[in-house]
Amino acid sequence: MDMRKNAAPSVVLALAIAMGLSASVYAADVQFRPEIGAELVYTDNAGLTEESPESGEIGILSAGVVSEITGKDGQVSLDYRARQTYHSYDANKNKLYHELDFTADKKLGGSGFSIDAVAAVDILPAEFSSNAITDVISGDLIQGSEIGVGLNYQSNRRKWIDLNARAAASLYRYEDDRGNNNDFDGSLVFKNGQKVNTVFWLVDSDYIRREARGNSQETENIKYKGEFGLQQRSGFSPFIRYYAESYLQGVSSSSKVGESESWGPAIRYFRSRLSYLELSYNFSLDKDKNDDYLGAAVNLEPNRRTKLFFEYSKRFYGDAYEFTFTHQKRRINTDISYIEEPTSFDRRFFVEGDTVEEQKLDKTLRWTTALDLRRSGIDFELRHQTRASLRDETDFVKDITYGGGIGIDHKLSRKLVIAFAFDYDHYTFDRLTGTDQVDKYSRYDLSLEQDLIEGFFLTYRYQFTHRSSNFVDRSYDENRVSINATKQF
């Protein structure tokens, strides 16, 4: 095992544990739940090939801990798991995987300031078009790690002004060094406090700078939003709005990928205190690049359990949309969101020929619904994502992903739970040169969990995966059966 490649996860883990232990000294409530496990897996297609598949066995030893520390002025959360794999058919595939999710925050007395920290270690596909599945048995994976700190300030919202400011820095490192970057970001929200009843104002700005580690490539994202108008609890509320954004990339962020700037009159009609309709006319301040446009927004909050927001506008890349919907009832929760945003240094979807540092337009739609019945639970998800290049001088054109899944679990008895899950994903990788790639994944999972004694579980599982691809050597079928023993303390 290459110790240099695994140094980042080890450092992140050590720091997270150290911060967690130091915070516990001041904690009012501490929860600490370790667990160990062993799993034996049989696969009938160890090489994930279509022709002459060979069977094999994989052993997995795991250990982890979940810890939550809650104090008077802060909290710490730590979820860590390590898994060592042993492959009977290829010892070179044996590997130790780390997964970590650590967060901490603490208020600095009554000053309004607070600090926070985050650390994470994830498992990612080394190359997304080769294999998009991220389980430790399929292999062809890398470890990605993040560590970050932030300083926040929040004024007293009940007075005349409401000021929220943040400055943060993060380091992102990947096992194969592709996409390593240092991230610096800041945000400022300045608006009227609750004591102001006649007018309202809003200044909302964000700044993100990402610097590649190992070369001079950088990206810079800047956004500003401003509003000033008459405050109303019902009826019409006129105001003036301003919006600007700028996206750069290249050596020292020297090349502009896109920018826009506009201002104009707007009016909101409040049906109730939280529900309104909005229309705006926006004069472009860079008419050689962008046109004037009519914008619209709807915000509906008929009760505490339901919220809907929709906005249409124009940005430097053309028509832009945003949509969110949340609804919560006693047994069913639904969340739907659609977001459009340029991104860079996103290693999750890396494919050969892609430049990680490049600014790409990411359009993501996600729908999740969870139903919680007395003895059963159902989770449903639909997803669609498009990542498109914002520049012409690149081989990367567009990735399109869509799919969905459903999971069902049912308690057969107090100590026996049966579960079924199905997932489908369709990937299209468009390129200027070569052949476009189309992959389809279908995955079925049937499991039975048995609670033998307190904290000791046995899980029996069958999984089937079908992958079809227009690249013939990447199609395959695989059957797996496994048994997993877990002890929680």
Side-chain angles (χ1 to χ4, degrees):
M1 184 180 298
D2 189 336
M3 295 304 294
R4 182 184 65 84
K5 296 292 187 182
N6 289 274
S10 300
V11 171
V12 170
L13 173 62
L15 179 60
I17 293 176
M19 293 184 68
L21 292 177
S22 63
S24 67
V25 176
Y26 308 99
D29 179 52
V30 179
Q31 298 182 29
F32 188 77
R33 302 185 296 277
E35 72 170 45
I36 57 174
E39 184 176 7
L40 179 62
V41 182
Y42 169 82
T43 173
D44 68 349
N45 192 352
L48 303 181
T49 60
E50 188 172 31
E51 296 183 2
S52 303
E54 296 183 4
S55 61
E57 295 79 32
I58 304 97
I60 304 173
L61 296 179
S62 63
V65 61
V66 176
S67 180
E68 296 178 0
I69 305 170
T70 304
K72 180 180 179 181
D73 294 321
Q75 60 182 12
V76 173
S77 174
L78 172 67
D79 188 346
Y80 170 72
R81 188 182 186 192
R83 285 181 286 177
Q84 175 68 58
T85 64
Y86 300 93
H87 297 72
S88 65
Y89 48 88
D90 188 353
N92 292 324
K93 288 190 174 183
N94 298 347
K95 187 173 181 179
L96 176 63
Y97 293 95
H98 301 274
E99 291 176 279
L100 171 68
D101 185 5
F102 169 83
T103 59
D105 63 79
K106 180 166 178 56
K107 296 179 181 178
L108 303 180
S111 64
F113 285 94
S114 65
I115 56 174
D116 61 73
V118 61
V121 180
D122 295 316
I123 300 172
L124 305 169
E127 203 274 313
F128 203 65
S129 63
S130 294
N131 195 345
I133 297 177
T134 56
D135 63 61
V136 298
I137 297 173
S138 298
D140 196 22
L141 306 172
I142 62 165
Q143 300 262 214
S145 59
E146 171 196 359
I147 183 167
V149 294
L151 176 65
N152 308 276
Y153 175 76
Q154 175 64 64
S155 66
N156 188 341
R157 298 184 179 93
R158 294 188 296 270
K159 294 187 177 180
W160 295 100
I161 64 171
D162 183 351
L163 176 64
N164 185 296
R166 173 176 173 78
S170 301
L171 306 179
Y172 294 87
R173 301 292 183 264
Y174 301 96
E175 190 176 349
D176 58 3
D177 293 331
R178 286 173 163 171
N180 291 349
N181 71 93
N182 305 328
D183 180 288
F184 307 94
D185 63 89
S187 63
L188 175 69
V189 178
F190 174 60
K191 57 184 179 180
N192 56 287
Q194 295 178 9
K195 276 195 171 183
V196 180
N197 297 316
T198 57
V199 298
F200 74 90
W201 67 83
L202 170 67
V203 177
D204 188 349
S205 61
D206 290 284
Y207 173 82
I208 302 175
R209 181 186 184 89
R210 297 187 175 101
E211 300 175 351
R213 188 172 186 261
N215 61 57
S216 57
Q217 295 294 312
E218 300 175 354
T219 63
E220 195 172 68
N221 304 350
I222 306 171
K223 289 199 299 185
Y224 301 96
K225 179 181 179 180
E227 295 177 352
F228 179 80
L230 296 178
Q231 186 176 163
Q232 297 286 349
R233 300 292 181 181
S234 62
F236 291 96
S237 174
F239 64 99
I240 299 293
R241 68 191 307 271
Y242 169 82
Y243 182 81
E245 61 181 343
S246 178
Y247 293 86
L248 304 95
Q249 74 176 48
V251 179
S252 301
S253 303
S254 57
S255 176
K256 288 187 178 180
V257 177
E259 62 180 347
S260 63
E261 186 178 16
S262 62
W263 76 278
I267 189 167
R268 288 184 183 136
Y269 174 74
F270 283 87
R271 181 185 176 190
S272 63
R273 186 174 66 89
L274 298 176
S275 297
Y276 62 82
L277 305 176
E278 176 185 313
L279 286 175
S280 63
Y281 191 87
N282 301 268
F283 298 98
S284 175
L285 297 179
D286 47 2
K287 294 185 182 295
D288 57 329
K289 300 177 181 179
N290 303 287
D291 298 327
D292 299 346
Y293 71 92
L294 183 67
V298 179
N299 190 82
L300 299 178
E301 297 185 47
N303 51 59
R304 291 181 298 174
R305 301 181 304 274
T306 305
K307 180 177 180 179
L308 182 148
F309 176 79
F310 170 80
E311 182 179 41
Y312 165 78
S313 62
K314 282 194 176 181
R315 300 177 65 178
F316 69 90
Y317 54 82
D319 294 337
Y321 303 88
E322 181 179 347
F323 176 80
T324 59
F325 173 77
T326 61
H327 181 64
Q328 298 178 346
K329 294 187 70 173
R330 182 181 176 187
R331 295 188 178 275
I332 186 168
N333 294 330
T334 297
D335 288 279
I336 305 173
S337 64
Y338 176 77
I339 299 174
E340 301 178 350
E341 194 63 35
T343 63
S344 62
F345 289 93
D346 190 346
R347 183 53 206 271
R348 294 171 300 166
F349 308 104
F350 173 77
V351 296
E352 288 296 341
D354 182 8
T355 303
V356 181
E357 298 91 343
E358 183 184 349
Q359 294 269 18
K360 303 177 180 69
L361 180 58
D362 190 319
K363 300 181 179 182
T364 301
L365 170 67
R366 189 173 296 274
W367 177 339
T368 61
T369 296
L371 177 62
D372 185 16
L373 303 176
R374 188 173 64 88
R375 299 184 62 181
S376 303
I378 301 175
D379 294 304
F380 170 79
E381 181 180 55
L382 288 177
R383 47 191 178 263
H384 188 287
Q385 181 182 42
T386 300
R387 295 191 315 137
S389 174
L390 287 168
R391 307 183 72 179
D392 296 329
E393 60 272 18
T394 175
D395 186 52
F396 180 92
V397 178
K398 185 166 56 177
D399 290 343
I400 301 173
T401 304
Y402 63 84
I406 186 170
I408 303 171
D409 62 79
H410 178 71
K411 292 182 179 179
L412 298 174
S413 67
R414 197 165 55 89
K415 292 182 175 292
L416 203 60
V417 178
I418 188 171
F420 170 78
F422 169 74
D423 272 287
Y424 173 80
D425 285 291
H426 185 289
Y427 300 97
T428 301
F429 304 99
D430 289 345
R431 297 293 177 269
L432 281 176
T433 59
T435 304
D436 295 344
Q437 182 175 337
V438 179
D439 293 340
K440 303 173 186 177
Y441 292 84
S442 300
R443 306 191 76 192
Y444 303 83
D445 189 310
L446 179 65
S447 65
L448 183 69
E449 182 180 271
Q450 186 178 14
D451 184 357
L452 294 181
I453 58 176
E454 184 177 357
F456 184 71
F457 302 90
L458 284 179
T459 304
Y460 313 91
R461 172 166 287 148
Y462 167 73
Q463 294 173 286
F464 172 73
T465 301
H466 170 72
R467 176 186 180 180
S468 64
S469 176
N470 62 328
F471 285 32
V472 178
D473 60 337
R474 293 182 176 177
S475 297
Y476 67 85
D477 289 330
E478 183 199 17
N479 291 277
R480 290 183 197 170
V481 291
S482 64
I483 181 171
N484 182 300
T486 301
K487 172 59 180 175
Q488 298 177 344
F489 299 94

